[in-house]
Amino acid sequence: MQGVILMIFPFIKKDLLVMIRNRQELLVLLLMPIVLIAILGFALGGVLKGDSPNIHAKVAIINNDNEQEDLQQFIKDIENAGLPTEAEMSMKTGAQSLLPVAILTEDVFDSEELKKYFEVEIIKPEQAEKVKKDDNYAAIIEIPEKFTYHLLSKVFLDKSAEISLQLYKNEGKQGTSNLVEDVIRQFQKQLTTMTIVGKNGIQLDTEPITGTIETVSKKEPINSMQYYTVGMSVMFIMYVASNISSFAYREKQLHVFNRIILSNTSRWSYFIGIFFSTMLIAFIQQLILYGVSALIFHVYWGDLAAFLVLNLSLSFAIGGVAALLTAVNYRIDSESASGFFSSIIVTLFSLLGGSFTPLSEVSPIIEFIGNLTPNGAGMTALLKVLQGSGITGIFEHVLYLIVFGIVLLSVAAFSFPKRGEAI
């Protein structure tokens, strides 16, 4: 292992010195992302705060309640309570107009104003765990057993009962999940109003429904500065790959590579040196960007171990990209692969990966495709770390980035010119 390090160290040192002396490239890799973070973070902050309503949200309602059975049980309680006939009939009529699940699904989500924004699915209780793991839903509303019965008993008979819904928010779809939470709070207010009407003048001094909404999410919301700090950082890390591969091809044009081969140095030392120098420069770039962002934009990381592991994995994947671009440049004897990657592929990957705007709420397919890009996978995982996830929460993304880097490195090694072809 020590021998391998000694063999590739000169090449890593060479690439570091070349990068340091190229001030124009340094400005692009370090200054430009900071400027863009400031511009986008301040200009588009309202988008991530939910000021603009999202077009579509998929909502699941897990209904553990049997509304009709609860209604019949409540009616029996009224009939056994020994109330005056007029009061009993009034309560029965009011109860039939105060069925909460029907109000939520039919009068709220299926209303003319809201049904164009929400796609609601009623989920059976036995499918609850499967649905909770499905990232396609913006929010999941779980209605507990006997919810209707407890609500009617509290409203009309003034019985003490806990009336609460559970709201599972998908923080990956922050705008739409917040919108669902607002709808649930309005539903709560609507029930309180309908309680007074449903009583029809009976027991008006009864405490109105308060209930609770339990938001089952320990994740912190992402603000605009955090989002664009990550978005711009994972975007500009890809330029490291194109820059290093361009430098490598220029060395071929200047016959530096040929002299290295003639000096009886293995071409694999040169090739692996490109991979590790790219990985190191990319990692240093990320540390500088996030360090400056912490000082200027107050973007802080709770789990530093997860942050470092993830950035190492992302840098590893970018090292694979640089190795492949170098191999292609050498194979076709042109710098066009690096140019095409930096001008076209980086922009496309940035759009799909969500560097400019969170596309995960537009379509699950776009979200899936975006996470296949190294920057998209890195960004998704970094945002999870900002929301409180540890290494276990981002393990699949770390594994994907490592596999991505290994695959590209393998393809690059197969494509890299043999000794005779390189001279």
Side-chain angles (χ1 to χ4, degrees):
M1 182 66 183
Q2 185 177 0
V4 174
I5 295 175
L6 290 175
M7 289 175 63
I8 66 174
F9 178 75
F11 300 109
I12 296 176
K13 180 180 178 182
K14 167 183 66 67
D15 288 335
L16 284 171
L17 290 174
V18 170
M19 180 63 71
I20 291 172
R21 291 168 182 170
N22 197 322
R23 296 182 181 179
Q24 182 177 354
E25 299 296 341
L26 283 177
L27 287 175
V28 172
L29 294 177
L30 298 177
L31 182 59
M32 185 63 71
I34 296 298
V35 173
L36 288 175
I37 290 168
I39 294 173
L40 294 173
F42 287 116
L44 302 179
V47 174
L48 295 180
K49 292 179 180 178
D51 294 343
S52 301
N54 290 284
I55 297 174
H56 182 266
K58 195 173 181 181
V59 180
I61 297 178
I62 303 173
N63 188 10
N64 297 289
D65 185 38
N66 190 317
E67 213 165 40
Q68 291 303 316
E69 285 186 4
D70 285 3
L71 176 61
Q72 294 305 316
Q73 182 180 351
F74 174 72
I75 289 175
K76 288 180 182 179
D77 289 351
I78 293 176
E79 292 173 347
N80 296 330
L83 299 171
T85 302
E86 183 179 349
E88 181 180 314
M89 293 302 296
S90 179
M91 283 188 179
K92 288 181 180 180
T93 302
Q96 291 173 351
S97 64
L98 194 61
L99 301 178
V101 179
I103 293 172
L104 180 63
T105 56
E106 298 172 12
D107 297 340
V108 178
F109 282 114
D110 200 41
S111 65
E112 288 296 326
E113 295 82 4
L114 295 183
K115 66 181 181 181
K116 57 186 176 182
Y117 298 116
F118 297 102
E119 177 187 346
V120 178
E121 293 184 17
I122 306 298
I123 306 299
K124 295 180 180 179
E126 55 266 25
Q127 297 177 313
E129 291 305 315
K130 179 181 178 181
V131 170
K132 289 175 184 177
K133 297 177 182 178
D134 192 338
D135 198 47
N136 291 325
Y137 295 98
I140 300 171
I141 303 166
E142 186 166 11
I143 300 172
E145 294 181 358
K146 297 295 182 182
F147 180 74
T148 300
Y149 175 74
H150 290 316
L151 186 144
L152 295 177
S153 298
K154 181 176 180 65
V155 170
F156 294 101
L157 299 178
D158 200 21
K159 289 185 178 180
S160 176
E162 181 180 354
I163 307 170
S164 64
L165 298 175
Q166 285 186 311
L167 176 63
Y168 297 79
K169 294 171 60 179
N170 184 345
E171 293 297 345
K173 304 178 185 296
Q174 185 178 346
T176 49
S177 63
N178 288 341
L179 189 59
V180 174
E181 182 176 1
D182 290 340
V183 170
I184 295 301
R185 294 192 184 280
Q186 291 301 318
F187 166 67
Q188 177 184 339
K189 293 178 182 179
Q190 182 179 358
L191 277 182
T192 302
T193 302
M194 293 188 68
T195 296
I196 300 174
V197 177
K199 289 176 184 178
N200 198 23
I202 299 175
Q203 300 179 356
L204 286 176
D205 58 339
T206 301
E207 179 185 355
I209 300 173
T210 55
T212 60
I213 298 174
E214 299 180 11
T215 304
V216 187
S217 173
K218 296 182 180 180
K219 298 179 180 178
E220 294 294 329
I222 297 295
N223 61 43
S224 59
M225 281 303 175
Q226 291 172 322
Y227 186 89
Y228 287 111
T229 293
V230 175
M232 294 300 103
S233 297
V234 299
M235 174 182 172
F236 278 86
I237 194 175
M238 292 187 286
Y239 286 111
V240 176
S242 62
N243 288 343
I244 296 297
S245 60
S246 293
F247 294 159
Y249 179 73
R250 291 168 196 166
E251 290 177 338
K252 182 176 185 294
Q253 287 182 312
L254 296 172
H255 305 292
V256 174
F257 179 72
N258 286 354
R259 289 196 292 271
I260 291 173
I261 297 299
L262 290 173
S263 67
N264 205 29
T265 301
S266 171
R267 68 190 179 96
W268 294 114
S269 298
Y270 179 82
F271 178 75
I272 297 300
I274 290 173
F275 172 81
F276 280 106
S277 61
T278 303
M279 181 178 172
L280 179 60
I281 292 171
F283 186 69
I284 293 173
Q285 178 212 33
Q286 295 299 288
L287 293 183
I288 292 174
L289 291 179
Y290 290 120
V292 173
S293 296
L295 293 174
I296 300 177
F297 307 122
H298 308 293
V299 177
Y300 304 113
W301 299 86
D303 193 329
L304 287 178
F307 168 77
L308 293 174
V309 168
L310 181 54
N311 275 289
L312 278 171
S313 304
L314 179 58
S315 300
F316 184 90
I318 297 301
V321 174
L324 181 59
L325 290 174
T326 300
V328 173
N329 284 341
Y330 272 54
R331 176 65 62 178
I332 64 177
D333 195 22
S334 171
E335 198 178 341
S336 58
S338 297
F340 180 76
F341 179 82
S342 63
S343 60
I344 304 297
I345 300 299
V346 170
T347 303
L348 179 61
F349 277 15
S350 299
L351 287 172
L352 291 174
S355 288
F356 299 109
T357 184
L359 295 179
S360 60
E361 297 178 1
V362 176
S363 168
I365 297 176
I366 295 179
E367 180 182 13
F368 175 77
I369 295 174
N371 283 333
L372 293 179
T373 64
N375 57 297
M379 182 168 185
T380 299
L382 284 165
L383 291 177
K384 287 183 178 180
V385 174
L386 279 173
Q387 291 175 322
S389 293
I391 293 178
T392 55
I394 61 171
F395 177 77
E396 60 180 11
H397 298 289
V398 170
L399 180 62
Y400 174 76
L401 289 169
I402 293 173
V403 172
F404 183 91
I406 292 173
V407 170
L408 264 61
L409 183 61
S410 301
V411 174
F414 180 79
S415 305
F416 198 69
K418 304 297 186 290
R419 178 182 289 268
E421 297 171 330
I423 297 176

PDB file of all heavy atoms in Angstrom, residues 277-292:
ATOM      1  N   SER A 277      -6.222  12.490  -7.391  1.00  0.00           N
ATOM      2  CA  SER A 277      -6.047  13.945  -7.329  1.00  0.00           C
ATOM      3  C   SER A 277      -7.389  14.644  -7.519  1.00  0.00           C
ATOM      4  O   SER A 277      -7.670  15.652  -6.849  1.00  0.00           O
ATOM      5  CB  SER A 277      -5.043  14.407  -8.385  1.00  0.00           C
ATOM      6  OG  SER A 277      -5.488  14.089  -9.695  1.00  0.00           O
ATOM      7  N   THR A 278      -8.216  14.108  -8.420  1.00  0.00           N
ATOM      8  CA  THR A 278      -9.563  14.670  -8.585  1.00  0.00           C
ATOM      9  C   THR A 278     -10.366  14.524  -7.315  1.00  0.00           C
ATOM     10  O   THR A 278     -11.042  15.470  -6.860  1.00  0.00           O
ATOM     11  CB  THR A 278     -10.303  13.963  -9.734  1.00  0.00           C
ATOM     12  OG1 THR A 278      -9.549  14.082 -10.932  1.00  0.00           O
ATOM     13  CG2 THR A 278     -11.693  14.568  -9.941  1.00  0.00           C
ATOM     14  N   MET A 279     -10.303  13.354  -6.717  1.00  0.00           N
ATOM     15  CA  MET A 279     -11.034  13.107  -5.473  1.00  0.00           C
ATOM     16  C   MET A 279     -10.578  14.059  -4.370  1.00  0.00           C
ATOM     17  O   MET A 279     -11.404  14.645  -3.654  1.00  0.00           O
ATOM     18  CB  MET A 279     -10.830  11.657  -5.043  1.00  0.00           C
ATOM     19  CG  MET A 279     -11.562  11.266  -3.786  1.00  0.00           C
ATOM     20  SD  MET A 279     -11.312   9.517  -3.394  1.00  0.00           S
ATOM     21  CE  MET A 279     -12.082   9.444  -1.758  1.00  0.00           C
ATOM     22  N   LEU A 280      -9.277  14.244  -4.247  1.00  0.00           N
ATOM     23  CA  LEU A 280      -8.751  15.125  -3.204  1.00  0.00           C
ATOM     24  C   LEU A 280      -9.128  16.580  -3.448  1.00  0.00           C
ATOM     25  O   LEU A 280      -9.567  17.287  -2.529  1.00  0.00           O
ATOM     26  CB  LEU A 280      -7.232  14.978  -3.134  1.00  0.00           C
ATOM     27  CG  LEU A 280      -6.512  15.850  -2.096  1.00  0.00           C
ATOM     28  CD1 LEU A 280      -7.007  15.542  -0.697  1.00  0.00           C
ATOM     29  CD2 LEU A 280      -5.002  15.664  -2.191  1.00  0.00           C
ATOM     30  N   ILE A 281      -8.963  17.048  -4.684  1.00  0.00           N
ATOM     31  CA  ILE A 281      -9.295  18.445  -5.002  1.00  0.00           C
ATOM     32  C   ILE A 281     -10.786  18.692  -4.817  1.00  0.00           C
ATOM     33  O   ILE A 281     -11.198  19.740  -4.292  1.00  0.00           O
ATOM     34  CB  ILE A 281      -8.860  18.781  -6.443  1.00  0.00           C
ATOM     35  CG1 ILE A 281      -7.330  18.780  -6.540  1.00  0.00           C
ATOM     36  CG2 ILE A 281      -9.418  20.133  -6.894  1.00  0.00           C
ATOM     37  CD1 ILE A 281      -6.805  18.885  -7.945  1.00  0.00           C
ATOM     38  N   ALA A 282     -11.619  17.733  -5.229  1.00  0.00           N
ATOM     39  CA  ALA A 282     -13.071  17.875  -5.066  1.00  0.00           C
ATOM     40  C   ALA A 282     -13.436  17.948  -3.593  1.00  0.00           C
ATOM     41  O   ALA A 282     -14.281  18.768  -3.185  1.00  0.00           O
ATOM     42  CB  ALA A 282     -13.786  16.706  -5.738  1.00  0.00           C
ATOM     43  N   PHE A 283     -12.813  17.117  -2.783  1.00  0.00           N
ATOM     44  CA  PHE A 283     -13.112  17.111  -1.346  1.00  0.00           C
ATOM     45  C   PHE A 283     -12.690  18.429  -0.695  1.00  0.00           C
ATOM     46  O   PHE A 283     -13.428  19.000   0.115  1.00  0.00           O
ATOM     47  CB  PHE A 283     -12.404  15.931  -0.684  1.00  0.00           C
ATOM     48  CG  PHE A 283     -12.753  15.753   0.768  1.00  0.00           C
ATOM     49  CD1 PHE A 283     -14.026  15.348   1.153  1.00  0.00           C
ATOM     50  CD2 PHE A 283     -11.809  15.989   1.756  1.00  0.00           C
ATOM     51  CE1 PHE A 283     -14.347  15.177   2.491  1.00  0.00           C
ATOM     52  CE2 PHE A 283     -12.117  15.824   3.095  1.00  0.00           C
ATOM     53  CZ  PHE A 283     -13.392  15.420   3.460  1.00  0.00           C
ATOM     54  N   ILE A 284     -11.499  18.905  -1.051  1.00  0.00           N
ATOM     55  CA  ILE A 284     -11.033  20.192  -0.511  1.00  0.00           C
ATOM     56  C   ILE A 284     -11.958  21.319  -0.950  1.00  0.00           C
ATOM     57  O   ILE A 284     -12.295  22.215  -0.157  1.00  0.00           O
ATOM     58  CB  ILE A 284      -9.583  20.466  -0.967  1.00  0.00           C
ATOM     59  CG1 ILE A 284      -8.622  19.458  -0.340  1.00  0.00           C
ATOM     60  CG2 ILE A 284      -9.165  21.889  -0.604  1.00  0.00           C
ATOM     61  CD1 ILE A 284      -7.204  19.549  -0.864  1.00  0.00           C
ATOM     62  N   GLN A 285     -12.381  21.290  -2.222  1.00  0.00           N
ATOM     63  CA  GLN A 285     -13.308  22.315  -2.712  1.00  0.00           C
ATOM     64  C   GLN A 285     -14.594  22.339  -1.891  1.00  0.00           C
ATOM     65  O   GLN A 285     -15.089  23.407  -1.491  1.00  0.00           O
ATOM     66  CB  GLN A 285     -13.655  22.043  -4.173  1.00  0.00           C
ATOM     67  CG  GLN A 285     -14.653  23.038  -4.753  1.00  0.00           C
ATOM     68  CD  GLN A 285     -15.548  22.409  -5.814  1.00  0.00           C
ATOM     69  OE1 GLN A 285     -15.883  21.228  -5.745  1.00  0.00           O
ATOM     70  NE2 GLN A 285     -15.914  23.193  -6.814  1.00  0.00           N
ATOM     71  N   GLN A 286     -15.146  21.154  -1.609  1.00  0.00           N
ATOM     72  CA  GLN A 286     -16.382  21.086  -0.838  1.00  0.00           C
ATOM     73  C   GLN A 286     -16.190  21.617   0.577  1.00  0.00           C
ATOM     74  O   GLN A 286     -17.039  22.342   1.098  1.00  0.00           O
ATOM     75  CB  GLN A 286     -16.885  19.639  -0.789  1.00  0.00           C
ATOM     76  CG  GLN A 286     -17.297  19.073  -2.141  1.00  0.00           C
ATOM     77  CD  GLN A 286     -18.433  19.840  -2.782  1.00  0.00           C
ATOM     78  OE1 GLN A 286     -19.577  19.756  -2.348  1.00  0.00           O
ATOM     79  NE2 GLN A 286     -18.122  20.608  -3.821  1.00  0.00           N
ATOM     80  N   LEU A 287     -15.070  21.279   1.204  1.00  0.00           N
ATOM     81  CA  LEU A 287     -14.814  21.774   2.559  1.00  0.00           C
ATOM     82  C   LEU A 287     -14.705  23.300   2.573  1.00  0.00           C
ATOM     83  O   LEU A 287     -15.210  23.959   3.494  1.00  0.00           O
ATOM     84  CB  LEU A 287     -13.530  21.149   3.105  1.00  0.00           C
ATOM     85  CG  LEU A 287     -13.556  19.642   3.381  1.00  0.00           C
ATOM     86  CD1 LEU A 287     -12.224  19.196   3.979  1.00  0.00           C
ATOM     87  CD2 LEU A 287     -14.704  19.271   4.311  1.00  0.00           C
ATOM     88  N   ILE A 288     -14.062  23.857   1.561  1.00  0.00           N
ATOM     89  CA  ILE A 288     -13.935  25.323   1.485  1.00  0.00           C
ATOM     90  C   ILE A 288     -15.305  25.970   1.286  1.00  0.00           C
ATOM     91  O   ILE A 288     -15.661  26.938   1.977  1.00  0.00           O
ATOM     92  CB  ILE A 288     -12.983  25.725   0.347  1.00  0.00           C
ATOM     93  CG1 ILE A 288     -11.556  25.290   0.677  1.00  0.00           C
ATOM     94  CG2 ILE A 288     -13.030  27.241   0.109  1.00  0.00           C
ATOM     95  CD1 ILE A 288     -10.566  25.514  -0.449  1.00  0.00           C
ATOM     96  N   LEU A 289     -16.096  25.429   0.356  1.00  0.00           N
ATOM     97  CA  LEU A 289     -17.418  26.009   0.072  1.00  0.00           C
ATOM     98  C   LEU A 289     -18.330  25.955   1.288  1.00  0.00           C
ATOM     99  O   LEU A 289     -18.995  26.941   1.635  1.00  0.00           O
ATOM    100  CB  LEU A 289     -18.066  25.288  -1.104  1.00  0.00           C
ATOM    101  CG  LEU A 289     -17.439  25.507  -2.484  1.00  0.00           C
ATOM    102  CD1 LEU A 289     -18.172  24.709  -3.550  1.00  0.00           C
ATOM    103  CD2 LEU A 289     -17.437  26.993  -2.855  1.00  0.00           C
ATOM    104  N   TYR A 290     -18.365  24.798   1.955  1.00  0.00           N
ATOM    105  CA  TYR A 290     -19.240  24.680   3.121  1.00  0.00           C
ATOM    106  C   TYR A 290     -18.701  25.467   4.309  1.00  0.00           C
ATOM    107  O   TYR A 290     -19.478  25.960   5.141  1.00  0.00           O
ATOM    108  CB  TYR A 290     -19.434  23.207   3.487  1.00  0.00           C
ATOM    109  CG  TYR A 290     -20.271  22.460   2.477  1.00  0.00           C
ATOM    110  CD1 TYR A 290     -19.759  21.355   1.794  1.00  0.00           C
ATOM    111  CD2 TYR A 290     -21.575  22.857   2.198  1.00  0.00           C
ATOM    112  CE1 TYR A 290     -20.525  20.672   0.865  1.00  0.00           C
ATOM    113  CE2 TYR A 290     -22.347  22.182   1.262  1.00  0.00           C
ATOM    114  CZ  TYR A 290     -21.816  21.093   0.590  1.00  0.00           C
ATOM    115  OH  TYR A 290     -22.575  20.429  -0.335  1.00  0.00           O
ATOM    116  N   GLY A 291     -17.366  25.592   4.395  1.00  0.00           N
ATOM    117  CA  GLY A 291     -16.789  26.416   5.453  1.00  0.00           C
ATOM    118  C   GLY A 291     -17.140  27.879   5.285  1.00  0.00           C
ATOM    119  O   GLY A 291     -17.552  28.553   6.242  1.00  0.00           O
ATOM    120  N   VAL A 292     -17.013  28.388   4.053  1.00  0.00           N
ATOM    121  CA  VAL A 292     -17.384  29.781   3.772  1.00  0.00           C
ATOM    122  C   VAL A 292     -18.881  29.990   3.987  1.00  0.00           C
ATOM    123  O   VAL A 292     -19.315  31.018   4.530  1.00  0.00           O
ATOM    124  CB  VAL A 292     -16.983  30.156   2.333  1.00  0.00           C
ATOM    125  CG1 VAL A 292     -17.509  31.548   1.974  1.00  0.00           C
ATOM    126  CG2 VAL A 292     -15.466  30.126   2.176  1.00  0.00           C
TER     127      VAL A 292
END
